[in-house]
């Protein structure tokens, strides 16, 4: 009815506004596309009938019940597994040690949207094992667009980038010997002061980015909020 049309227009305005103001990428577009779940069930058939002029017309839907067949049980079980996965995945950060807003472990596909402001700056240096040859790596020159700001808050991605730099300069600058890559990575999260995210003395080119147990040993501990800010932001 008319109320549905008004609500639909309001949702479109909301998502377009968030897309423009907050720069959330494809998220508002996905949410606008998901509004189709509120349409009448036969809307997709009507659409195909209008576009291709060949889709069968919607028939009357029977409301009579019958025992579920094997195929229907399989579909029901798959939908149940999908629901469990969708509900369980956002809780993944609880399975990892440390603070997720600091180490970024398990934060993909979670509901933790907008819970942290994190700003980082990085200095990379490549050197040989004897320290006789050392030079600075221009972090931004190897990346494009928003990639530097997207990579820096994530320790595992910084380590992967250091592997890339090490492989790139092994033959061009270090005569076939893999260089040592160290990072001075300073991050500021949720009103806390800047602090080291990774141990600056560790050769990140030799660290397995998927070994999250060892990663914990080279991550610094997130400093607590000062008492004044705790009183100001009790949540």
């Amino acid at each position: 009815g008319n109320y549905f049309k008004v609500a639909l227009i309001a949702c479109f305005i909301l998502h377009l506004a968030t897309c423009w103001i907050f720069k959330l990428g494809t998220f508002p577009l996905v949410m606008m596309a998901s509004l189709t779940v509120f349409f009448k069930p036969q809307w997709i058939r009507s659409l195909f009938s209008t576009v291709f002029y060949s889709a069968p017309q919607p028939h009357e839907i029977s409301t009579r019940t019958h025992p579920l067949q094997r195929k229907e049980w399989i579909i029901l079980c798959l939908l149940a597994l999908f629901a469990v996965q969708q509900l369980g995945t956002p809780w993944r950060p609880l399975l990892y040690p440390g603070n997720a807003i600091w180490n970024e472990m398990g934060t993909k596909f979670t509901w933790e949207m907008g819970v942290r402001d994190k700003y980082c700056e990085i200095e990379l240096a490549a050197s040989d094992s004897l320290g006789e040859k050392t030079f600075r790596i221009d972090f931004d020159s190897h990346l494009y667009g928003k990639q530097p700001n997207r990579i820096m808050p994530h320790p595992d991605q910084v380590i992967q980038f250091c592997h890339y730099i090490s492989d790139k300069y092994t033959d061009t600058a270090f005569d076939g010997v893999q260089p040592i890559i160290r990072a001075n990575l300073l991050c500021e999260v949720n009103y806390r002061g800047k602090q080291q995210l990774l141990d600056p003395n560790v050769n990140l080119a030799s660290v397995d980015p998927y070994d999250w147990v060892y990663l914990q040993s080279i991550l610094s501990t997130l400093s607590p909020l000062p008492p004044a800010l705790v009183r100001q932001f009790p949540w």
Side-chain angles (χ1 to χ4, degrees), residues 105-162:
M105 291 184 177
T107 55
K108 295 292 185 182
F109 309 112
T110 66
W111 297 327
E112 296 182 355
M113 179 180 173
V115 298
R116 62 123 169 99
D117 288 320
K118 195 172 184 180
Y119 305 98
C120 300
E121 55 188 43
I122 190 171
E123 292 181 355
L124 290 178
S127 63
D128 58 12
S129 58
L130 300 177
E132 296 177 351
K133 182 188 294 186
T134 302
F135 59 90
R136 180 183 174 186
I137 304 295
D138 188 353
F139 185 77
D140 292 355
S141 66
H142 295 273
L143 299 167
Y144 176 78
K146 298 180 180 179
Q147 288 180 339
N149 291 331
R150 296 289 176 86
I151 290 177
M152 283 188 288
H154 297 266
D156 58 323
Q157 294 184 21
V158 172
I159 293 172
Q160 291 179 51
F161 180 78
C162 289

Side-chain angles (χ1 to χ4, degrees), residues 172-185:
T172 58
F174 289 91
D175 302 323
V177 178
Q178 190 175 46
I180 296 172
I181 309 295
R182 295 185 175 92
N184 181 29
L185 179 57

Side-chain angles (χ1 to χ4, degrees), residues 7 11-12 32 52 71 78 93 99 106 130 132 148 152 163 170 211 235:
C11 286
F12 271 102
M32 285 189 285
F52 299 106
K71 181 175 65 175
L78 291 175
N99 194 323
L130 300 177
E132 296 177 351
M152 283 188 288
H163 279 259
T170 294
D211 185 355
W235 56 86

Side-chain angles (χ1 to χ4, degrees), residues 215-227:
L215 183 58
Q216 287 295 324
S217 66
I218 63 174
L219 279 170
S220 64
T221 303
L222 180 63
S223 60
L225 276 174

